[in-house]
Amino acid sequence: MMMNALIAAGGAALAFLLTVAPPAAAQTPTVPLAPAPRSPLDGRPETAGAMRLTPLFGPPLPTPPDKLPVDQLKLPKGFRIEVFASGIANARTLRVGDKGTVFVGSRHSDKVYGIVNRGGRNEVKVIASGLYRPNGLAFKDGTLYIAELSQISKIEHVEDNLDHPPKPTVIYDQLPRDEANGWKFIAIGPDNKLYVPVGMPCNNCIPPETHGQIRRINLDGSGAEVVALGVRNTGGFDWHPVTKELYFTDNGRDWLSEDLPQDELNRVTRSGQHFGAPYCYQGDVLDSDFGWGHSCSEFVPPIAKLGPHAAPLGMRFYTGNMFPSDYRNAILVVRHGSWNRTIKIGGDVMVMRLNKDGTVKSAEPLITGFIADNIFLGRPVDIQPLKDGSVLISDDWNGAVYRVSWSNAPEARRR
């Protein structure tokens, strides 16, 4: 039932964001594109239906504020969504500083941005530039950590120098340079260590020992160790507020079928567990290429299936006090949306409520409407709670950040 609810909530979608929009006619090429090694088309079946599924492109520039799709997004009664900031090219990972600065990473821009409130208005500033895929961000004790494709750097006392921030200082450069699944999401755990994934360098393959994992390092870049294995490509993780266990989203392989495998929500209960890729996906589907000689019982199954090719990315536990009480300690999961599926799903934010033992009790949509008539109106990426209990949602398709709040007042709008 949970799976049916997730697919129904997903609706429709568009694609895997790059940077420049081609003309409409180019979105369904008449001559099939030969896949480059390790490209998103690697392994695509040579059938008419599959050939129509190619990565599409978002708008070449951030969408103007008055054109953003907030009026088309749907939320439960009492919730409201509004534009928090716009004009942020390829807005991805979100983090909040001690003094309220909202930092925004990017997968395709070379910049990290900061959103600051001045005179009652949110102003977007460039915090760092000249970077390569600075998608991942973390913040701790005044220091901003930035994960690029192959290294992690830091800017100390960043909020004290927003007008003239110093250049980032590299603390860890032992990350592979593979482009496939190479962009990083990072976070600092309750153990005060920095966690960083290294995705599989392919759609589906036996990865080197250095890939398909989540690592953790000390905040100075030392002491690297592997925490989880069999991780194809995680774009978001967080720790349970009570048990401190690590939960993470993971994107399944492409081109097995339109309905398989489903993407995953996983839980790490001890260091070194293996979550299946590339031998077993979604906990119960042996891979057609590498599953021979294996059983899915060898690996840790997901605690929830999140839909086929729905591309779950950012996730956070909600610990605020603004939303209704049943949201407390629930997981908010952002599904970026499918591109290699004829009927698109995802493009939404889900609420995953947990049982006392940490397993998933229920799943329902918080925000839908980013997909209409099988076309993306936006692509949500990450979610970040604010101190007042509201949450921010990034949208890399439109280059915007939205704020979601809740009020039980009669005038609270329902979208």
Side-chain angles (χ1 to χ4, degrees):
M1 291 180 64
M2 183 185 302
M3 180 55 220
N4 292 336
L6 284 171
I7 292 179
L14 197 83
F16 169 56
L17 175 61
L18 298 177
T19 46
V20 181
Q27 294 187 5
T28 306
T30 54
V31 179
L33 299 174
R38 308 308 189 195
S39 82
L41 303 182
D42 188 20
R44 182 182 64 175
E46 294 184 4
T47 62
M51 288 295 191
R52 287 193 290 269
L53 300 175
T54 61
L56 303 180
F57 300 85
L61 297 172
T63 303
D66 61 339
K67 302 295 184 182
L68 291 169
V70 287
D71 290 332
Q72 299 177 64
L73 302 178
K74 301 175 179 61
L75 293 85
K77 185 177 181 179
F79 283 89
R80 172 180 176 151
I81 188 165
E82 59 191 331
V83 177
F84 184 79
S86 60
I88 306 171
N90 193 230
R92 299 274 296 189
T93 302
L94 301 171
R95 294 291 177 186
V96 180
D98 295 331
K99 299 180 180 180
T101 307
V102 176
F103 297 98
V104 187
S106 173
R107 181 180 171 188
H108 294 300
S109 166
D110 69 338
K111 297 175 176 59
V112 171
Y113 299 90
I115 305 171
V116 295
N117 189 282
R118 291 182 174 172
R121 300 186 61 176
N122 288 334
E123 175 184 327
V124 178
K125 303 180 66 65
V126 174
I127 302 299
S129 60
L131 307 176
Y132 190 68
R133 303 203 186 286
N135 183 86
L137 300 178
F139 190 92
K140 177 76 172 177
D141 297 333
T143 298
L144 178 68
Y145 297 85
I146 304 170
E148 299 175 69
L149 182 78
S150 61
Q151 65 183 21
I152 300 174
S153 57
K154 69 178 182 180
I155 304 176
E156 296 180 335
H157 310 295
V158 62
E159 288 186 288
D160 297 330
N161 299 282
L162 291 174
D163 291 329
H164 302 285
K167 291 184 178 181
T169 301
V170 176
I171 63 167
Y172 187 69
D173 60 1
Q174 301 302 306
L175 295 171
R177 297 179 178 274
D178 305 278
E179 292 286 346
N181 301 322
W183 50 271
K184 305 294 188 292
F185 176 93
I186 57 172
I188 297 172
D191 54 3
N192 206 38
K193 292 180 181 288
L194 187 63
Y195 286 65
V196 55
V198 181
M200 287 169 46
C202 53
N203 167 35
N204 194 51
C205 61
I206 302 293
E209 292 183 357
T210 51
H211 293 65
Q213 61 185 233
I214 299 175
R215 303 177 190 176
R216 66 182 173 193
I217 60 175
N218 297 322
L219 295 183
D220 63 0
S222 66
E225 58 182 333
V226 176
V227 174
L229 297 164
V231 181
R232 182 180 176 274
N233 183 27
T234 177
F237 42 81
D238 198 7
W239 288 263
H240 192 289
V242 178
T243 67
K244 309 305 180 185
E245 290 176 329
L246 174 64
Y247 287 66
F248 68 92
T249 60
D250 197 14
N251 286 207
R253 62 160 291 185
D254 299 326
W255 307 122
L256 181 60
S257 80
E258 294 215 46
D259 296 319
L260 293 172
Q262 293 194 44
D263 298 325
E264 303 173 1
L265 177 65
N266 291 292
R267 175 178 60 159
V268 179
T269 57
R270 60 177 176 81
S271 184
Q273 290 175 307
H274 196 296
F275 291 86
Y279 311 105
C280 172
Y281 289 99
Q282 71 172 52
D284 54 13
V285 172
L286 282 173
D287 184 72
S288 58
D289 296 318
F290 304 111
W292 299 92
H294 289 278
S295 167
C296 283
S297 63
E298 299 173 34
F299 311 106
V300 180
I303 63 169
K305 300 173 184 178
L306 299 177
H309 314 302
L313 296 180
M315 59 145 287
R316 299 286 197 283
F317 281 90
Y318 181 77
T319 58
N321 294 314
M322 177 185 285
F323 291 4
S325 60
D326 62 344
Y327 282 79
R328 183 80 175 181
N329 293 346
I331 305 175
L332 304 179
V333 178
V334 182
R335 299 196 301 170
H336 197 218
S338 51
W339 65 269
N340 60 340
R341 195 172 191 276
T342 301
I343 303 300
K344 312 303 182 186
I345 66 170
D348 54 24
V349 178
M350 305 299 299
V351 183
M352 316 286 290
R353 294 184 175 86
L354 304 182
N355 297 305
K356 289 184 179 180
D357 64 359
T359 58
V360 174
K361 178 181 180 180
S362 65
E364 64 184 44
L366 174 62
I367 306 173
T368 60
F370 283 103
I371 303 167
D373 299 323
N374 220 30
I375 298 295
F376 277 114
L377 304 181
R379 295 196 80 185
V381 178
D382 198 19
I383 187 163
Q384 174 63 49
L386 296 178
K387 291 180 180 179
D388 66 358
S390 63
V391 299
L392 300 180
I393 310 288
S394 61
D395 175 357
D396 63 358
W397 188 265
N398 291 304
V401 177
Y402 312 111
R403 177 177 176 265
V404 178
S405 57
W406 182 84
S407 172
N408 58 6
E411 64 272 14
R413 297 201 303 172
R414 178 177 182 172
R415 293 186 180 276

